[in-house]
Amino acid sequence: MKSLKRRKFTDKTARWVITIGGVTTVFIVLALLLFILLEVYPLFKDAEVVKENSYSVHGNVSALGIDEYQEIAYAVYTNGSVEFISLSNGNVLKKYEIAGLTDTVPTEQEDYPTDDRHTVLPVFLLEERRNDDEGHINTPLHHTTVTSSYKDNNRLILGTDDGKIVTVSVAFTETFNSEKRTITPEISKEETQQIDEKGKEIKHITSRKDEGIATTVVSTADDRLVLKYTEEITTLFGTGEKTEFQKDITGFINQSRQNTIFEPGSPPSGTMKPESRIEITSLALDQFMENLFIGTVSGDLFHINIRDKESPFLQEKVKVSHTAITALGFILGDTSLVVGSLDGRVNVWMQVRDKLLPSGTVLKKIHTLKPHSAPVMAIVPSKRDKSFVTMASDGTIHLNHTTSEQTRLYLHSPSLPTAVAFSPRGNGILAADVSNNLTFWGISNPHPEATLKTLFGRVWYEGYEKPEFVWQSTGGTDDFEPKLSLVPLIFGTIKGTIYSMIIAVPIGIFAALYTSQFLHKAIKIIKPTIEIMAALPSVILGFLAGLWLAPLIEKIFPAIVIMPLFVVLFIALALYLWRSLPSRIKGKYRYGIEALILIPFIIGAIYVSVHLSTISEFILFGGDYREWLLHVLGLHYDQRNALIVGFAMGFAVIPLIFTISEDAMSNVPNSLTSASLALGATPWQTAVRVVVPTASPGIFSATMIGFGRAVGETMIVLMATGNTPIMDWNLFNGFRALSANIAVEVPEAPIGGTLYRVLFLSALLLFAITFIVNTVSEIIRQRMRKKYSKL
């Protein structure tokens, strides 16, 4: 009675322990899946406005700017005055009058307002005071209007209606005292230049400066194009030399209407008839000061090469729009050029390599963004990524991203906009309109480069000749374009799995068949020995494969090629010798151990193959197998390649397939095998036609479990391949798998960043692949089991 109660208690306890363990396992798996989903979800969230404020300005704004912390903005008015505005309350913190542009006399310094967040310190005035003969202060007699502007980092270049350009530097510095941040706006005028001797209005302007070299290009009201180049050289002794020259390059865009072909550096005369001139609508100069792009009213885009400033030449003319080009702007890195047109279209163009052209490059449209419903007025790039802001004449403002071809946010200005600014961190947009409104939008746009297209589709990246699948998460410069396509990683995972399964499945299943049906019971200790192989750490296998097997295979590759032939020949020789032996000698050996005799023959075949490696390389590959593979088959041979992974990962998967398959075959009822033998079938016929079909559900399960192990394998793939994310079925190339990519990239991925979340997406894909494969394999196994259970 006590024994029965104890037994019931034990059964009840075991049932509860198993139930709790199963429920806990399911709960943990679901919790992990939920955690991964929560990390992946933000990747696909749209940008959003987190804050919106409106303020008033005091005139027609020509240019805007904003500090890094989005606390202070500045507005440059067409009358030449500059105001610093607090974005917390809209108060004007200070007003400046740029010398030579305004007709007001500067007032004395005022106390600067403060608030709880920041303190603004005073800066100096820019108005130049002139004394007359009696010592009185005179103010400028002529009022000059700002007609165009261009912002180059902290430099602000202003064009006027009398042919001048005024360069002003605006910067924000911050200091910290007692955990309080103090913002100090700093503004200084570099110089004023009369760039147009005729005094015509400056319609468009573009300028770049780097290490004392400055290049400025302007277009005037009469559609002349003027280039000004300045170079300042400072010697070791502190003395400086300044070189500058100015050049009218209008003829380079007008020469397309003439039959004459002009040599570089010798443009046609500037005395062309007015009706023959092309109306210029926009300008863009890259940061290298080598490529000048000019938009025209006819929709033609002119590319003038100004690498040699004294000898520029027209490199290319492309029809990019059927309507006028209204705005041009470079994306971060100055490789991609955004073109806005009169019909509201926004396209991205890039110089693509073309060996057939003398210049070696050709302009091609690589991205198309969602258009505006009105003419595009301005293009403002981000300083952090490939995002940019476009502003149209109807007040619509779009936040776009080049790589993903996605418009992330749609904003609208209360009235006709006159200027727009993009915050340095890419988290704020500032716009001014003709109704003297200043609108600020604080935005959240953490993952603009992650879309289904960029993750799983072909993307035309900067510097590439066509759209491709590319994974390259980091680069050597700040203007790097992340390439986060998961397709090469999925391809690498499939490639490594297929090559390892090609080796593991035949060996594992045939070894299990021989062990279960033919091997003598006295030596079935082989099975636990093989099972112990499954306990070998994958890091050890990867270490051996990468540092020992890969160099060895590279050295004796010709021997690997001829080895299957010699193994077959030596096995045939062993079979012939075995059959030639007298029956009395063969009778001394137990049934099922004949295969042991093959071991010395296989070792002999390997030995002969290795020693004939040099001769076979000379006969088969002309003395160098690497060169033969490259020139005959077009295949590159890498030391760590898919072949090495196939051997190493196959070695890791074989014990799983072997063990489960052998158990399935050994559990086939003896009645079936005995009946087959009784009906006259040979042991081999019985094994192939009775045992294997009956055990097929277990064999299939073994194969799927091995497949799952190969898909999720990390260390072998990480250490035995070159980890190059390329899409090539070449057996002698490396690859990068999803699991190995996670191991490589996670230590360098900023928490919460795009790369961090894309890696979690990779983990989710692995989870999904494993779940789908296991589910499908279980369904197939159940059907096979039902089918063969009737035998």
PDB file of all heavy atoms in Angstrom, residues 8 12 56 77 101 103 276 320 328 526 551 602:
ATOM      1  N   LYS A   8       2.392   6.739  -6.778  1.00  0.00           N
ATOM      2  CA  LYS A   8       1.472   7.769  -7.247  1.00  0.00           C
ATOM      3  C   LYS A   8       2.026   9.174  -6.995  1.00  0.00           C
ATOM      4  O   LYS A   8       1.915  10.080  -7.834  1.00  0.00           O
ATOM      5  CB  LYS A   8       0.118   7.611  -6.565  1.00  0.00           C
ATOM      6  CG  LYS A   8      -0.683   6.406  -7.040  1.00  0.00           C
ATOM      7  CD  LYS A   8      -2.033   6.370  -6.357  1.00  0.00           C
ATOM      8  CE  LYS A   8      -2.876   5.194  -6.875  1.00  0.00           C
ATOM      9  NZ  LYS A   8      -4.215   5.150  -6.220  1.00  0.00           N
ATOM     10  N   LYS A  12       2.884  11.843  -9.835  1.00  0.00           N
ATOM     11  CA  LYS A  12       2.264  13.170  -9.805  1.00  0.00           C
ATOM     12  C   LYS A  12       3.319  14.269  -9.789  1.00  0.00           C
ATOM     13  O   LYS A  12       3.208  15.290 -10.485  1.00  0.00           O
ATOM     14  CB  LYS A  12       1.363  13.266  -8.580  1.00  0.00           C
ATOM     15  CG  LYS A  12       0.424  14.458  -8.604  1.00  0.00           C
ATOM     16  CD  LYS A  12      -0.554  14.385  -7.448  1.00  0.00           C
ATOM     17  CE  LYS A  12      -1.557  15.532  -7.526  1.00  0.00           C
ATOM     18  NZ  LYS A  12      -2.538  15.457  -6.395  1.00  0.00           N
ATOM     19  N   SER A  56       7.969  84.953 -34.432  1.00  0.00           N
ATOM     20  CA  SER A  56       7.890  86.051 -35.390  1.00  0.00           C
ATOM     21  C   SER A  56       9.279  86.581 -35.687  1.00  0.00           C
ATOM     22  O   SER A  56      10.145  86.638 -34.796  1.00  0.00           O
ATOM     23  CB  SER A  56       7.009  87.184 -34.847  1.00  0.00           C
ATOM     24  OG  SER A  56       5.680  86.743 -34.671  1.00  0.00           O
ATOM     25  N   TYR A  77      18.580  88.661 -42.734  1.00  0.00           N
ATOM     26  CA  TYR A  77      17.559  89.349 -43.500  1.00  0.00           C
ATOM     27  C   TYR A  77      18.138  89.903 -44.797  1.00  0.00           C
ATOM     28  O   TYR A  77      19.355  90.072 -44.934  1.00  0.00           O
ATOM     29  CB  TYR A  77      16.939  90.479 -42.677  1.00  0.00           C
ATOM     30  CG  TYR A  77      16.232  89.988 -41.432  1.00  0.00           C
ATOM     31  CD1 TYR A  77      16.880  89.977 -40.198  1.00  0.00           C
ATOM     32  CD2 TYR A  77      14.931  89.532 -41.496  1.00  0.00           C
ATOM     33  CE1 TYR A  77      16.248  89.527 -39.056  1.00  0.00           C
ATOM     34  CE2 TYR A  77      14.273  89.077 -40.359  1.00  0.00           C
ATOM     35  CZ  TYR A  77      14.940  89.068 -39.144  1.00  0.00           C
ATOM     36  OH  TYR A  77      14.303  88.615 -38.021  1.00  0.00           O
ATOM     37  N   LEU A 101      26.131  96.520 -45.748  1.00  0.00           N
ATOM     38  CA  LEU A 101      24.856  96.009 -46.234  1.00  0.00           C
ATOM     39  C   LEU A 101      23.660  96.727 -45.636  1.00  0.00           C
ATOM     40  O   LEU A 101      22.558  96.608 -46.127  1.00  0.00           O
ATOM     41  CB  LEU A 101      24.737  94.505 -45.926  1.00  0.00           C
ATOM     42  CG  LEU A 101      25.742  93.585 -46.627  1.00  0.00           C
ATOM     43  CD1 LEU A 101      25.467  92.147 -46.241  1.00  0.00           C
ATOM     44  CD2 LEU A 101      25.687  93.760 -48.128  1.00  0.00           C
ATOM     45  N   ASP A 103      21.941 100.335 -43.433  1.00  0.00           N
ATOM     46  CA  ASP A 103      22.044 101.780 -43.322  1.00  0.00           C
ATOM     47  C   ASP A 103      21.722 102.261 -41.921  1.00  0.00           C
ATOM     48  O   ASP A 103      21.330 103.389 -41.701  1.00  0.00           O
ATOM     49  CB  ASP A 103      21.102 102.459 -44.322  1.00  0.00           C
ATOM     50  CG  ASP A 103      19.678 101.942 -44.198  1.00  0.00           C
ATOM     51  OD1 ASP A 103      19.438 101.127 -43.281  1.00  0.00           O
ATOM     52  OD2 ASP A 103      18.833 102.366 -45.001  1.00  0.00           O
ATOM     53  N   SER A 276      21.383  84.604 -77.071  1.00  0.00           N
ATOM     54  CA  SER A 276      22.041  83.312 -77.176  1.00  0.00           C
ATOM     55  C   SER A 276      22.457  82.763 -75.815  1.00  0.00           C
ATOM     56  O   SER A 276      22.913  81.638 -75.734  1.00  0.00           O
ATOM     57  CB  SER A 276      23.277  83.420 -78.073  1.00  0.00           C
ATOM     58  OG  SER A 276      24.262  84.227 -77.448  1.00  0.00           O
ATOM     59  N   VAL A 320      18.228  66.544 -67.601  1.00  0.00           N
ATOM     60  CA  VAL A 320      17.756  65.887 -66.386  1.00  0.00           C
ATOM     61  C   VAL A 320      16.290  66.173 -66.095  1.00  0.00           C
ATOM     62  O   VAL A 320      15.689  65.522 -65.237  1.00  0.00           O
ATOM     63  CB  VAL A 320      18.615  66.298 -65.174  1.00  0.00           C
ATOM     64  CG1 VAL A 320      20.061  65.916 -65.381  1.00  0.00           C
ATOM     65  CG2 VAL A 320      18.477  67.782 -64.883  1.00  0.00           C
ATOM     66  N   LEU A 328      19.642  72.843 -56.738  1.00  0.00           N
ATOM     67  CA  LEU A 328      20.677  71.816 -56.747  1.00  0.00           C
ATOM     68  C   LEU A 328      21.299  71.737 -55.352  1.00  0.00           C
ATOM     69  O   LEU A 328      21.410  72.747 -54.663  1.00  0.00           O
ATOM     70  CB  LEU A 328      21.778  72.136 -57.762  1.00  0.00           C
ATOM     71  CG  LEU A 328      21.416  72.114 -59.246  1.00  0.00           C
ATOM     72  CD1 LEU A 328      22.610  72.598 -60.081  1.00  0.00           C
ATOM     73  CD2 LEU A 328      20.997  70.717 -59.691  1.00  0.00           C
ATOM     74  N   ILE A 526      31.707   1.764 -31.988  1.00  0.00           N
ATOM     75  CA  ILE A 526      31.933   2.890 -32.905  1.00  0.00           C
ATOM     76  C   ILE A 526      30.851   3.956 -32.728  1.00  0.00           C
ATOM     77  O   ILE A 526      31.128   5.150 -32.816  1.00  0.00           O
ATOM     78  CB  ILE A 526      31.974   2.387 -34.355  1.00  0.00           C
ATOM     79  CG1 ILE A 526      33.224   1.545 -34.584  1.00  0.00           C
ATOM     80  CG2 ILE A 526      31.923   3.538 -35.336  1.00  0.00           C
ATOM     81  CD1 ILE A 526      33.311   0.939 -35.961  1.00  0.00           C
ATOM     82  N   PRO A 551      45.222  26.069 -44.524  1.00  0.00           N
ATOM     83  CA  PRO A 551      46.542  26.071 -45.181  1.00  0.00           C
ATOM     84  C   PRO A 551      46.918  24.718 -45.771  1.00  0.00           C
ATOM     85  O   PRO A 551      47.578  24.658 -46.815  1.00  0.00           O
ATOM     86  CB  PRO A 551      47.499  26.461 -44.049  1.00  0.00           C
ATOM     87  CG  PRO A 551      46.647  27.144 -43.030  1.00  0.00           C
ATOM     88  CD  PRO A 551      45.314  26.461 -43.117  1.00  0.00           C
ATOM     89  N   ILE A 602      42.321   2.705 -47.774  1.00  0.00           N
ATOM     90  CA  ILE A 602      41.955   4.132 -47.871  1.00  0.00           C
ATOM     91  C   ILE A 602      43.123   5.014 -47.459  1.00  0.00           C
ATOM     92  O   ILE A 602      43.408   6.046 -48.094  1.00  0.00           O
ATOM     93  CB  ILE A 602      40.704   4.414 -47.004  1.00  0.00           C
ATOM     94  CG1 ILE A 602      39.494   3.672 -47.585  1.00  0.00           C
ATOM     95  CG2 ILE A 602      40.422   5.909 -46.923  1.00  0.00           C
ATOM     96  CD1 ILE A 602      38.235   3.789 -46.742  1.00  0.00           C
TER      97      ILE A 602
END
